[in-house]
Amino acid sequence: FMIGRELNPRIGSFDIKYFVELRPGLIGWTIINIAMAIKQYHELGYVTIGMFLIVIFQGWYCFDAVYNEPAVLTTMDITTDGFGWMLSFGNLTWVAFLYALQARYLALHPVHLSQFQIVSIICLQAVGYSIFRGANNEKNFFRNNPEDPKIKHLKFITTETGSRLIISGWWGRARHINYLGDWIISWAWCLLCGFDDVLPYFYVIYFAVLLIHREFRDEEKCKNKYKKDWDRYCEIVKWRIIP
Ligand code: NDP
């Protein structure tokens, strides 16, 4: 029920899971964020810099994901998990409504940040985004076309299944370093809400649990799939998530 049975349910050529994966949740999330900024404007007569940044940061995250939509084709959601309750409820409801928590918090509790705090948070977002997008693109380009000049320099090992595993670049620094980038981004979003309340920090805590659990699941899947080749890979790339 949770993970689902059907891997890629389709109606004709319409792939339900691929469609649901990003578009409804991410577009819904962006719309709710904008609505929260308008709500703040109605209350205060202006939009705070924190609210402005959360709409831009998260709007960028959503735009970037939808713009790079084919990159999800090499992720666990598409290749491994069925279309069960986790992906249907998660993508259609949980993402749109719960991920808008920071904007909702700021609409009701405006926070005034110092210039130093604003610059630090923008830097954190930039660092997180470079790791997140850099790692995800590296794998996606590599899996689509290993001859692509952008990733041709990467070292890899060839496994008995025929699949290749990258052992340099982002993926050579730590296994699932893409999760680290995503988690750093989540800190930048929560810090925009200041330190008066723990509620907006729900996201960093929940996301850490989600990513660690996901890393364990993927580790198990890869170990079963690649067997001794995975052990060889782990000997070369020793760290998990954090280098
Ligand atoms: P990943 O993109 O991390 O893909 C994992 C798969 O990549 C493995 O199963 C394996 O598949 C392949 N792989 C692993 N190591 C290597 C390597 N060294 N070289 C080449 N291929 C490798 O999957 P996820 O779906 O977990 O994450 C995708 C992104 O989505 C992440 O950035 C994550 O942070 C984000 N995410 C965000 C969520 C949110 O709620 N905001 C929720 C979940 C994820 P194979 O069998 O093909 O080898």
Side-chain angles (χ1 to χ4, degrees):
F1 177 69
M2 180 81 181
I3 293 292
R5 293 287 159 192
E6 283 276 332
L7 187 61
N8 303 113
R10 293 192 175 100
I11 302 170
S13 61
F14 180 74
D15 187 316
I16 302 172
K17 189 171 73 170
Y18 185 37
F19 172 77
V20 167
E21 178 71 10
L22 297 180
R23 298 186 198 199
L26 298 191
I27 294 169
W29 174 11
T30 307
I31 291 171
I32 294 174
N33 274 357
I34 294 169
M36 292 303 152
I38 293 169
K39 157 86 177 155
Q40 193 188 58
Y41 182 78
H42 275 295
E43 301 284 321
L44 296 180
Y46 61 90
V47 171
T48 60
I49 183 82
M51 176 64 95
F52 176 75
L53 288 177
I54 200 77
V55 173
I56 296 294
F57 287 173
Q58 296 187 343
W60 175 255
Y61 186 83
C62 295
F63 171 79
D64 172 76
V66 177
Y67 183 77
N68 291 295
E69 193 179 37
V72 298
L73 294 173
T74 59
T75 64
M76 267 171 81
D77 283 3
I78 298 290
T79 62
T80 315
D81 295 337
F83 188 57
W85 187 80
M86 183 181 82
L87 289 184
S88 52
F89 175 81
N91 287 321
L92 291 168
T93 306
W94 182 265
V95 168
F97 291 96
L98 206 85
Y99 285 20
L101 182 66
Q102 287 84 31
R104 188 187 153 96
Y105 177 84
L106 289 174
L108 301 176
H109 310 278
V111 171
H112 298 279
L113 300 165
S114 69
Q115 279 183 0
F116 174 74
Q117 287 172 323
I118 293 166
V119 172
S120 311
I121 291 171
I122 293 174
C123 292
L124 200 61
Q125 165 80 20
V127 170
Y129 179 75
S130 335
I131 302 173
F132 165 79
R133 183 45 56 213
N136 285 329
N137 275 354
E138 230 174 41
K139 172 161 69 76
N140 188 44
F141 291 145
F142 180 80
R143 280 290 164 87
N144 277 323
N145 175 18
E147 295 305 313
D148 188 325
K150 288 196 270 290
I151 46 86
K152 211 170 179 297
H153 60 280
L154 292 177
K155 292 190 192 130
F156 57 85
I157 56 170
T158 305
T159 64
E160 274 178 13
T161 65
S163 285
R164 297 159 167 188
L165 294 170
I166 310 168
I167 53 163
S168 71
W170 286 116
W171 293 85
R173 292 200 174 93
R175 311 201 297 268
H176 285 109
I177 195 159
N178 50 347
Y179 292 176
L180 177 67
D182 218 352
W183 196 57
I184 293 174
I185 292 175
S186 73
W187 269 103
W189 299 348
C190 295
L191 285 167
L192 286 172
C193 298
F195 299 106
D196 289 343
D197 204 328
V198 74
L199 191 66
Y201 288 84
F202 166 79
Y203 185 65
V204 276
I205 300 163
Y206 144 81
F207 204 39
V209 174
L210 179 148
L211 293 175
I212 291 169
H213 178 249
R214 207 174 169 84
E215 203 271 344
F216 272 94
R217 278 207 303 138
D218 197 48
E219 191 77 7
E220 193 184 323
K221 176 217 125 180
C222 290
K223 205 166 166 41
N224 285 334
K225 179 175 174 184
Y226 295 118
K227 302 197 167 64
K228 61 180 180 6
D229 289 321
W230 188 253
D231 296 334
R232 191 157 58 100
Y233 170 64
C234 294
E235 261 173 40
I236 303 168
V237 184
K238 291 192 169 41
W239 300 98
R240 299 169 79 157
I241 305 180
I242 303 173

